[in-house]
Amino acid sequence: MAETFFSPCPRGLENLLADELRGFGAASAEVLHGGVMWSGDWASCYRANLESRLATRVLWRVGRSRYQGEIDIYKLAYSVTWAKWFTPDDSIRVSVTAQQSPLKSLEFITLRIKDAVCDHFRTVVGRRPDVDTANPAIRIHAFLTKDMATLYMDTSGEPLYKRGFKTAAVEAPLKENIAAGILKLSGWQPGEPLIDPMCGSGTFLLEAAQMALGIAPGLGRKFGFERFKNVDEATWSAVRSAAEARRKPLAPLPIFGSDIVGDQVRRSRENLAAAGLDKCVTLDRADILDRVAPFAAGVMVTNPPYGVRIGEAEALAAFYPQLGDALKKHWAGWRCYFFSGDMMLAKLIGLKASKRTPLFNGALECRLFEYKVISGSMRDKPRAADDARNNAA
């Protein structure tokens, strides 16, 4: 029997996520603003949690009705058969989001849903679950439109971009599912040389290495559905075993990372080691303006810093033209992708972007700028790409 799920993702990656979910067995996948509504069996839900590189969560729809006021939402939440899926020993957290809802206070709606869930348990089993907003066993999500309320149970638990092994963060980390989406948008394929020359904590490197080795991104963590009373242990075990069987042996990969800041290189190395991938990726300390391409052709992906403090904007305005010159000097034959919220990059880098893809890093609107760096005639480029693939093999 098919269930209905909603998987949010970073805005701009919805179509890629829909394709990914179909690969996990989704019977239908409807692209919406900020996510994908889809249907499937529990095996597809387990696969989406374990294997999705793009989804933020997998939410299971458990109730839906029209409403006019708070009492209607209370009645909906009370009517859901919560006691079939978890016990009063499981702590809960309720989250509410809304678009065009006429109700004035989402905090009050959150409280009313929590009351309804607790009242349901008092009626059915005689006692209620506790609320834990920090580390709940069960996460309940409500989404309100102008006249429709939908209730979900979160099958993921912690957001799926938390892969479960990253230990060393940076000040403004790039979420793993955005990094994975950028790698897919670049067209990079395992075996093709890849570099992040401003690697920070190594997010692009980690995601690319996992893709190259067929490592499911959720193998190092737990999921919310594992606490559900209705979890199908046999199906979940089979899904996990199949994912583990697809892992390739660890081996050196044509994936490279560097940073001008030694502490950032250390963080990348620490995170790669935590994932068991430190022997697969080549790391060193280098300035992108001096760095030379390791192969004749390949893909560069990076998230350069952009100014948020006084003085940074001026420094970057001087840096971007130098970056363009370095690309022309050292990276001919490469496809270069810069993910940035600073639109001055495209104006000052001195190269014409072949693509500008809108993506959101949280609430911040960014662009993925694509630069195909060419030296000599267009006839020389395929030969360079072929040489790189042969060298990588």
Side-chain angles (χ1 to χ4, degrees):
M1 178 177 167
E3 302 287 348
T4 299
F5 303 95
F6 178 72
S7 291
C9 68
R11 287 158 60 191
L13 299 180
E14 295 92 342
N15 287 305
L16 286 175
L17 175 58
D19 289 340
E20 185 183 58
L21 291 168
R22 293 184 189 105
F24 301 146
S28 64
E30 179 186 0
V31 172
L32 303 174
H33 185 70
V36 177
M37 187 74 71
W38 58 283
S39 63
D41 58 15
W42 280 104
S44 60
C45 170
Y46 301 156
R47 282 198 68 188
N49 275 289
L50 182 64
E51 299 182 45
S52 177
R53 302 188 190 278
L54 305 177
T56 301
R57 297 182 182 277
V58 179
L59 304 176
W60 172 37
R61 194 171 79 187
V62 296
R64 191 168 188 257
S65 74
R66 296 192 179 277
Y67 74 94
Q68 291 183 327
E70 290 89 350
I71 188 60
D72 300 315
I73 296 174
Y74 173 89
K75 290 177 179 178
L76 169 64
Y78 182 84
S79 71
V80 174
T81 55
W82 305 107
K84 287 176 59 178
W85 305 318
F86 63 97
T87 77
D89 294 323
D90 295 312
S91 59
I92 64 170
R93 174 181 175 177
V94 177
S95 302
V96 179
T97 56
Q99 290 181 357
Q100 299 182 319
S101 173
L103 302 180
K104 302 301 182 186
S105 172
L106 295 187
E107 290 81 5
F108 182 67
I109 294 301
T110 302
L111 181 63
R112 292 297 280 154
I113 294 173
K114 183 268 296 180
D115 289 343
V117 175
C118 292
D119 290 346
H120 167 88
F121 272 95
R122 284 195 187 96
T123 300
V124 175
V125 299
R127 57 194 182 95
R128 50 154 286 181
D130 291 330
V131 174
D132 184 346
T133 58
N135 188 31
I138 302 294
R139 298 168 190 252
I140 297 166
H141 295 255
F143 179 64
L144 309 180
T145 62
K146 183 178 180 181
D147 61 355
M148 186 69 70
T150 307
L151 295 176
Y152 298 94
M153 282 178 63
D154 187 348
T155 71
S156 302
E158 288 289 317
L160 294 178
Y161 58 76
K162 294 188 177 182
R163 309 302 200 206
F165 51 75
K166 200 170 185 181
T167 59
V170 293
E171 184 177 348
L174 183 69
K175 287 185 172 61
E176 286 76 359
N177 55 350
I178 298 178
I182 289 170
L183 287 168
K184 288 179 179 290
L185 287 169
S186 76
W188 173 79
Q189 295 294 320
E192 186 177 16
L194 179 90
I195 189 168
D196 180 355
M198 290 181 274
C199 62
S201 61
T203 305
F204 281 122
L205 308 176
L206 284 157
E207 293 299 308
Q210 289 181 90
M211 290 180 183
L213 296 171
I215 300 173
L219 280 174
R221 53 162 287 166
K222 295 288 188 179
F223 301 96
F225 67 77
E226 295 181 78
R227 302 291 295 268
F228 293 4
K229 289 166 64 176
N230 61 322
V231 62
D232 185 336
E233 295 286 1
T235 299
W236 168 226
S237 178
V239 165
R240 189 175 182 89
S241 295
E244 289 173 339
R246 287 193 291 271
R247 293 182 63 153
K248 298 176 183 177
L250 297 180
L253 302 167
I255 297 176
F256 305 84
S258 60
D259 204 289
I260 193 173
V261 181
D263 198 43
Q264 304 288 57
V265 178
R266 179 194 60 78
R267 287 188 173 100
S268 288
R269 184 169 285 113
E270 184 178 326
N271 286 327
L272 285 162
L277 298 170
D278 49 318
K279 300 295 192 295
C280 303
V281 176
T282 301
L283 279 176
D284 57 17
R285 182 176 180 179
D287 186 339
I288 187 176
L289 300 181
D290 301 323
R291 162 126 226 184
V292 176
F295 285 91
V299 175
M300 176 192 291
V301 288
T302 197
N303 178 31
Y306 40 92
V308 293
R309 290 186 287 267
I310 295 174
E312 289 183 343
E314 291 81 357
L316 289 171
F319 169 71
Y320 290 144
Q322 294 176 295
L323 176 60
D325 291 341
L327 293 179
K328 287 181 283 187
K329 182 178 180 181
H330 299 304
W331 298 91
W334 283 64
R335 306 193 313 278
C336 301
Y337 296 83
F338 296 90
F339 178 65
S340 180
D342 188 352
M343 301 305 137
M344 292 301 293
L345 183 152
K347 295 179 180 179
L348 297 176
I349 197 170
L351 300 170
K352 184 177 180 181
S354 49
K355 284 184 184 178
R356 302 184 184 203
T357 305
L359 293 173
F360 281 76
N361 189 7
L364 180 64
E365 184 175 2
C366 300
R367 291 288 185 277
L368 179 63
F369 299 102
E370 176 189 75
Y371 298 97
K372 294 181 177 178
V373 187
I374 300 171
S375 177
S377 71
M378 289 296 289
R379 287 182 301 174
D380 294 333
K381 191 181 177 191
R383 185 184 306 165
D386 289 341
D387 289 344
R389 291 191 186 95
N390 292 334
N391 290 332

